[in-house]
Amino acid sequence: RMVAAVLAGLSLLSLLTCGYLAWGSRRAGTGEAPESPLGEEPAAGAPRSQPHIIFILADDQGFRDVGYHGSEIRTPTLDKLAAEGVKLENYYVQPMCTPSRSQLITGKYQIHTGLQHSIIRPTQPNCLPLDNVTLPQKLKEVGYSTHMVGKWHLGFYRKECMPTQRGFDSFFGSLLGSGDYYTHFKCDSPGICGYDLYENDNAAWDHDNGIYSTQMYTQKVQQILASHNPRKPIFLYIAYQAVHSPLQAPGRYFEHYRSINNINRRRYAAMLACLDEAINNVTLALRKYGYYENSIIIYSSDNGGQPMAGGSNWPLRGSKGTYWEGGIRAVGFVHSPLLKNKGSVCKELVHITDWFPTLITLAEGQIDEDIQLDGYDVWETISEGRRSPRVDILHNIDPIYTKAKNGSWAAGYGIWNTAIQSAIRVNHWKLLTGNPGYSDWVPPQAFSNAGPNRWHNERVSWSAGKTVWLFNITADPYERVDLSARHPEVVKQLLRRLSQFNKTAVPVRYPPKDPRSNPKLNGGVWGPWFKEDEKKKKPDKSKGANKQKKNKNKKKAN
């Protein structure tokens, strides 16, 4: 008892030292729950075997931008949750927003959903294909209450594409990829601007009080947890807007970072500090309302950081939007009382598609045989330290992005056209073709000046026409030594694997802009605009108008 008391005292002291006070003493309007003793868990009866699943997805958080990866930005909540859980140190996502989110929610690679090129733009008549079963839909089948708070970015041109039509009981957040953190307005291009805050299927004008989105989303999460019965399983998908641009944060979060001269890095640090506090408040709410002991908290970034917007992926190479490790290797961990090997590090290969089968299995759900998944159940890998069932990752094949002018079938040994942007990992080996994107290493000192200073960046001048790279990622995680010339047989082997994957690809979905998407035509709000039956209804109306009016009901129906 004495040891337990001492540990409890130290835990409380640690929280206070980091500036995380008890509930009642926090400032109003910052997303805190009502006053309650720290960590108190009310009796809620025996928990069900199905765990509560809380998936927290950060936006554009760089690999280095967490305390336990050596960042100068303080993240005490993330550090503590990761230290008490399992850190995923060989964990991969996609290099941009839509691809990572689509793979999380379907368990499928981009080539199997048609979203292998870029992201879904606000004005495109495009969304996650409706024939794909989603994670929340599968969880609902086994009794879960499913709620989403935050950024959707999987398309909305039709009502059927909205989160509430894809398996979520409720949705509160934004449909687009970015927007103002306070006003929730977004301009896609000059004159094409609109409001982007939704509650379920309608614009959330009544809930917009000018609150910073990170704090507003946290308050919504607390309301959901307070109103739900903890004896019934819940899936809570919290997709924070932070730390994606625009770089905005409440003033008080700048206090510890005034010494950072680079304005983008300083703003980014304040945003991350606010996010860390928000996640602390979510975990406190899980304890307060009786969820924590039977919960699994998963934390992940959706892609690497963007150095020009304050993010750091050091010592990894490249940035968001690229297939270098800095674009696709992510911060990630699992925190749960249900873990067997708490306080450990998982260095086994894990990919964002793996959450789909892993979470459905944990929820005691069934995966239909006709659903051809690219993800694996990795719970035993994470919880017990077993070997990962995954031996490869198709990072992507993008047949539209062919900017490598010198790429050719000859450079690909007649197996693959190296003009195509693609990347694949097989065991220790990683192969890239085409133009992988911005390839600098951006060290911490690059942020030491008032503006981004590329003189600090490390670069490699490749010979003209290079379109194939090979790295041993286990031995060279920073991608400094290209081995493609030294190991041509390995290159051929991985090119054949790319070719095999490509045979299973579906056509790319990347339609042109639709002028009907303009928010001005939709009451100033970004939202569904496409009506497939519009043309069919018009002739019906004209027919009805010419007929004699036999009764009022028929006229109303027409």
Side-chain angles (χ1 to χ4, degrees):
R1 289 181 181 177
M2 182 178 291
V3 171
V6 170
L7 289 175
L10 287 173
S11 176
L12 179 58
L13 179 60
S14 173
L15 287 169
L16 290 172
T17 302
C18 296
Y20 292 78
L21 308 179
W23 299 70
S25 61
R26 302 297 295 278
R27 302 186 189 192
T30 58
E32 292 80 352
E35 186 171 353
S36 171
L38 183 65
E40 182 179 330
E41 186 115 16
R48 290 182 52 173
S49 58
Q50 292 172 297
H52 304 300
I53 300 169
I54 296 86
F55 197 104
I56 302 173
L57 190 66
D59 201 343
D60 286 9
Q61 183 178 2
F63 182 78
R64 182 174 175 266
D65 296 330
V66 66
Y68 64 84
H69 280 174
S71 178
E72 78 279 23
I73 303 172
R74 299 179 181 91
T75 57
T77 300
L78 298 181
D79 295 348
K80 186 174 188 295
L81 292 174
E84 294 173 351
V86 176
K87 298 174 183 175
L88 306 178
E89 293 299 330
N90 200 5
Y91 173 56
Y92 288 86
V93 294
Q94 297 307 112
M96 287 184 288
C97 308
T98 297
S100 283
R101 291 158 207 272
S102 69
Q103 298 199 31
L104 163 66
I105 209 168
T106 65
K108 295 181 180 181
Y109 291 143
Q110 293 160 256
I111 64 163
H112 295 144
T113 59
L115 299 176
Q116 54 265 60
H117 180 67
S118 190
I119 60 172
I120 294 177
R121 307 287 176 183
T123 56
Q124 284 182 312
N126 194 14
C127 73
L128 181 71
L130 300 176
D131 57 354
N132 282 269
V133 178
T134 67
L135 177 58
Q137 286 172 338
K138 296 300 294 181
L139 293 175
K140 276 174 69 71
E141 289 178 3
V142 288
Y144 273 74
S145 177
T146 59
H147 302 275
M148 179 181 173
V149 177
K151 169 178 163 178
W152 176 237
H153 207 184
L154 288 174
F156 58 88
Y157 79 106
R158 294 169 58 173
K159 289 182 179 178
E160 295 86 351
C161 301
M162 296 287 281
T164 52
Q165 304 301 311
R166 306 310 303 269
F168 288 105
D169 293 327
S170 74
F171 167 65
F172 182 75
S174 62
L175 299 174
L176 278 63
S178 64
D180 191 282
Y181 280 72
Y182 293 96
T183 67
H184 317 297
F185 271 84
K186 166 70 176 179
C187 290
D188 185 60
S189 59
I192 311 296
C193 304
Y195 184 72
D196 182 31
L197 182 65
Y198 268 75
E199 181 166 40
N200 298 323
D201 298 330
N202 300 301
W205 298 106
D206 295 339
H207 297 271
D208 184 2
N209 299 312
I211 302 173
Y212 186 67
S213 75
T214 301
Q215 298 167 335
M216 179 178 64
Y217 290 156
T218 303
Q219 290 175 355
K220 186 64 176 180
V221 169
Q222 290 164 336
Q223 292 168 12
I224 293 170
L225 292 173
S227 60
H228 182 75
N229 182 351
R231 280 170 285 188
K232 296 181 180 179
I234 188 171
F235 170 53
L236 192 51
Y237 173 36
I238 313 169
Y240 281 108
Q241 180 182 354
V243 285
H244 195 292
S245 60
L247 301 178
Q248 298 170 293
R252 70 185 183 92
Y253 295 99
F254 286 84
E255 291 172 6
H256 296 293
Y257 303 107
R258 304 214 180 272
S259 61
I260 298 178
N261 292 326
N262 182 307
I263 186 62
N264 285 347
R265 182 66 174 171
R266 190 190 318 152
R267 289 172 177 164
Y268 179 96
M271 294 168 74
L272 187 55
C274 183
L275 177 63
D276 187 79
E277 182 185 83
I279 294 165
N280 178 69
N281 291 327
V282 170
T283 55
L284 288 175
L286 290 170
R287 291 181 181 274
K288 173 182 173 58
Y289 297 117
Y291 297 87
Y292 178 77
E293 292 301 328
N294 191 35
S295 69
I296 296 171
I297 303 170
I298 300 165
Y299 183 86
S300 170
S301 180
D302 67 339
N303 45 247
Q306 175 55 267
M308 296 299 287
S312 175
N313 304 306
W314 180 260
L316 302 181
R317 183 179 187 180
S319 64
K320 171 186 176 176
T322 77
Y323 290 96
W324 303 108
E325 292 291 284
I328 56 178
R329 191 165 175 178
V331 173
F333 63 79
V334 178
H335 177 96
S336 172
L338 308 178
L339 289 166
K340 291 186 177 179
N341 289 353
K342 300 181 184 69
S344 61
V345 175
C346 175
K347 294 186 179 180
E348 291 292 308
L349 203 57
V350 178
H351 185 249
I352 195 166
T353 53
D354 297 333
W355 298 121
F356 186 97
T358 301
L359 297 179
I360 291 173
T361 304
L362 283 169
E364 302 174 7
Q366 296 293 323
I367 297 174
D368 304 330
E369 291 183 4
D370 59 338
I371 299 179
Q372 296 182 341
L373 295 180
D374 296 306
Y376 295 84
D377 179 356
V378 293
W379 181 250
E380 290 183 349
T381 300
I382 295 169
S383 179
E384 302 175 27
R386 297 191 183 186
R387 294 298 301 272
S388 174
R390 177 177 287 283
V391 296
D392 59 16
I393 297 174
L394 176 67
H395 294 304
N396 197 25
I397 298 170
D398 185 346
I400 292 180
Y401 196 90
T402 54
K403 291 191 176 182
K405 296 179 181 179
N406 296 301
S408 66
W409 285 95
Y413 299 97
I415 302 168
W416 187 256
N417 180 1
T418 63
I420 296 172
Q421 185 190 61
S422 66
I424 188 170
R425 169 82 176 268
V426 179
N427 293 317
H428 304 300
W429 297 105
K430 177 182 176 183
L431 181 82
L432 303 98
T433 72
N435 180 356
Y438 177 83
S439 62
D440 286 5
W441 293 270
V442 185
Q445 56 267 35
F447 298 100
S448 61
N449 298 321
N453 188 344
R454 293 192 57 161
W455 290 108
H456 288 293
N457 296 0
E458 295 185 52
R459 301 176 188 165
V460 172
S461 298
W462 299 112
S463 57
K466 185 167 183 61
T467 54
V468 177
W469 294 263
L470 178 71
F471 299 97
N472 183 324
I473 293 298
T474 306
D476 178 25
Y478 313 137
E479 297 171 300
R480 293 183 175 274
V481 183
D482 174 31
L483 300 172
S484 59
R486 199 181 307 176
H487 296 287
E489 291 306 315
V490 176
V491 171
K492 292 176 186 176
Q493 182 182 349
L494 268 63
L495 289 174
R496 291 189 193 99
R497 189 77 181 102
L498 272 176
S499 181
Q500 289 171 354
F501 269 119
N502 200 41
K503 290 175 183 176
T504 68
V506 301
V508 179
R509 298 168 59 99
Y510 198 75
K513 293 181 179 181
D514 186 338
R516 292 174 294 175
S517 63
N518 193 332
K520 289 180 181 177
L521 305 177
N522 192 29
V525 178
W526 288 104
W529 72 85
F530 189 85
K531 295 186 176 78
E532 199 168 11
D533 297 331
E534 214 168 39
K535 292 180 180 178
K536 294 179 182 178
K537 287 180 180 178
K538 286 180 181 177
D540 290 344
K541 282 187 177 181
S542 60
K543 275 186 182 179
N546 293 330
K547 284 184 180 180
Q548 288 187 352
K549 196 168 50 170
K550 291 186 179 180
N551 57 61
K552 292 181 180 179
N553 290 336
K554 190 169 184 179
K555 184 179 179 183
K556 286 180 181 177
N558 286 331

